[in-house]
Amino acid sequence: MTPWPIPSGPGATAWAPEQVSADPYNAQTPAAALAEPVTPVGAFFVRDHFGIPRTPPGRWRLRVGGAVAAPLDIGYDELDALDRRELDVVLECAGNGRSLMTPRPPGLPWGLRAVGCAHFAGVPFRALAARAGIEPGAVEIVFAGADSGTVHGLPTAFERSLPLEAALHPDTLLATHMNGEPLAPEHGAPVRLVVPGRYAVADVKWLVEARAVTEPFTGVFQAEQYVYAASRGTPEGPVTTVRIKSHITEPEPDAAVRRGHEAVVRGHAWSGGGVPVRRVEVRAENEEAEGDGEGEGEDGGRKWHDAVLEPPAGPYGWTGWSYRWTPQRPGPYRLLSRATDAHGDTQPPQAPWNAHGYGCNPVASVEVVVV
């Protein structure tokens, strides 16, 4: 697939990632890049906990051990020579949208752009697991990155586990390429895990170890962080499958739309676990224009209208959608979009609040002015 480069020249700064924190470096995808069917690598959001380790491919090794019959140690060239799969995958930070929650939970103040869709290529982890021979008593695979730091005063590596069913799925990849190019350091070079349909915390970057375990893993990033928790901090379960979501990429916020002229409202929608998006609905709200042609009925006297869906690039990419809208009255409008997947899950008016601000997926909105 042809890589999607970042434009240069006038206007190129609109494609630069928007920094959320400096040390460690974290940044969200610029709005202009989110309009693309595949998000350019240089514009793609970055989530980093401890700093970016830099390991040349020639020095990289992956250890596969734990509850296996034959522990395995493999280098980059040997891995890259194995049969590869290529998939378009939406990666979304579990904390995407946290800043919209009230009161705002602690953590990085992500807006709604800690997300992107990329074309990944890599070797299914199951190929290496088959070589190593997972023992019958194993229940999970723990994946460890080369990044580490101090948590609660103790040296801590970034580690996250997957149940065997997810780890051995044919689409769980040891990814080496992103949008047709070798991984960039900020995106996990030389090798990262890509687990389609799960929040990106599962996609361990700078991967150096995979070990089979016979008891559920209880590391910091598994049982303490990246869990849904109620207001009193009681864990209610781990962050796993991506929740149904949509965003609006056109028109831009505060755009001027001409009265009586057709405008196209566009965006993307996605869901987790490979579940297809089945419907996207759009609504235009104008508090001063009851019954102005937008329709009356449900949702406070204004109708939802079905958007036209585009075929996604595979089960894990996002679905483009569009809706043609001709406003009849001037004034401020709020454009809303909500997506529904094949399981019947729909974006809620407001995302349920939780103590860490994960899984925020309310109805998308953008403010425009009709002139």
Side-chain angles (χ1 to χ4, degrees), residues 7-366:
S8 58
T13 55
W15 290 73
E18 179 183 307
Q19 182 172 295
V20 176
S21 71
D23 186 16
Y25 176 68
N26 288 279
Q28 59 185 1
T29 308
L34 285 182
E36 298 291 335
V38 173
T39 311
V41 170
F44 208 94
F45 85 94
V46 176
R47 179 65 175 107
D48 172 24
H49 292 85
F50 297 125
I52 299 173
R54 297 177 183 269
T55 303
R59 296 180 58 187
W60 176 85
R61 309 292 298 183
L62 175 67
R63 301 179 300 277
V64 182
V68 299
L72 181 66
D73 186 286
I74 189 170
Y76 185 88
D77 289 343
E78 185 180 357
L79 178 72
D80 200 37
L82 300 177
D83 291 341
R84 297 196 299 179
R85 288 179 66 81
E86 299 191 18
L87 299 166
D88 278 23
V89 180
V90 173
L91 264 57
E92 181 179 10
C93 181
N96 190 30
R98 177 183 287 124
S99 62
L100 276 65
M101 290 185 171
T102 304
R104 185 173 71 80
L108 286 173
W110 293 116
L112 285 169
R113 291 184 273 112
V115 65
C117 182
H119 186 81
F120 288 99
V123 176
F125 172 72
R126 65 188 293 175
L128 299 192
R131 283 193 190 185
I134 306 297
E135 294 182 348
V139 295
E140 294 180 347
I141 306 293
V142 179
F143 295 92
D147 53 327
S148 63
T150 301
V151 179
H152 304 318
L154 300 173
T156 305
F158 187 87
E159 297 180 308
R160 184 80 180 180
S161 73
L162 289 174
L164 284 185
E165 181 181 6
L168 302 181
H169 192 283
D171 294 333
T172 295
L173 302 182
L174 303 174
T176 56
H177 290 71
M178 181 178 180
N179 291 1
E181 300 177 329
L183 285 173
E186 63 269 27
H187 296 302
V191 179
R192 72 174 298 167
L193 194 66
V194 171
V195 190
R198 291 190 170 227
Y199 281 112
V201 63
D203 304 323
V204 178
K205 295 189 286 187
W206 313 295
L207 191 65
V208 293
E209 182 184 12
R211 65 182 185 275
V213 294
T214 57
E215 298 288 341
F217 179 60
T218 58
V220 170
F221 296 101
Q222 190 75 29
E224 181 179 328
Q225 299 185 26
Y226 294 100
V227 296
Y228 292 113
S231 58
R232 295 182 179 180
T234 304
E236 297 178 340
V239 168
T240 56
T241 306
V242 171
R243 293 175 173 175
I244 182 70
K245 200 165 187 176
S246 67
H247 60 205
I248 299 170
T249 59
E250 184 183 341
E252 297 178 353
D254 302 320
V257 180
R258 295 180 64 188
R259 172 187 174 186
H261 289 255
E262 184 179 85
V264 180
V265 185
R266 303 181 194 275
H268 297 111
W270 62 97
S271 193
V275 179
V277 173
R278 289 295 187 227
R279 188 181 193 187
V280 174
E281 300 165 280
V282 177
R283 191 171 86 194
E285 291 185 349
N286 180 344
E287 295 299 331
E288 303 171 356
E290 284 279 345
D292 67 349
E294 296 305 318
E296 297 184 358
E298 63 174 345
D299 297 304
R302 295 173 179 83
K303 287 184 179 178
W304 288 96
H305 301 266
D306 283 325
V308 176
L309 304 186
E310 301 171 4
Y316 311 114
W318 51 29
T319 297
W321 58 264
S322 62
Y323 171 69
R324 297 183 180 277
W325 173 52
T326 305
Q328 299 300 322
R329 294 194 182 190
Y333 280 78
R334 176 183 291 116
L335 299 175
L336 307 174
S337 71
R338 69 179 182 189
T340 302
D341 67 20
H343 285 172
D345 292 328
T346 301
Q347 287 178 264
Q350 292 184 327
W353 189 91
N354 60 89
H356 299 302
Y358 295 136
C360 184
N361 69 330
V363 167
S365 69
V366 64

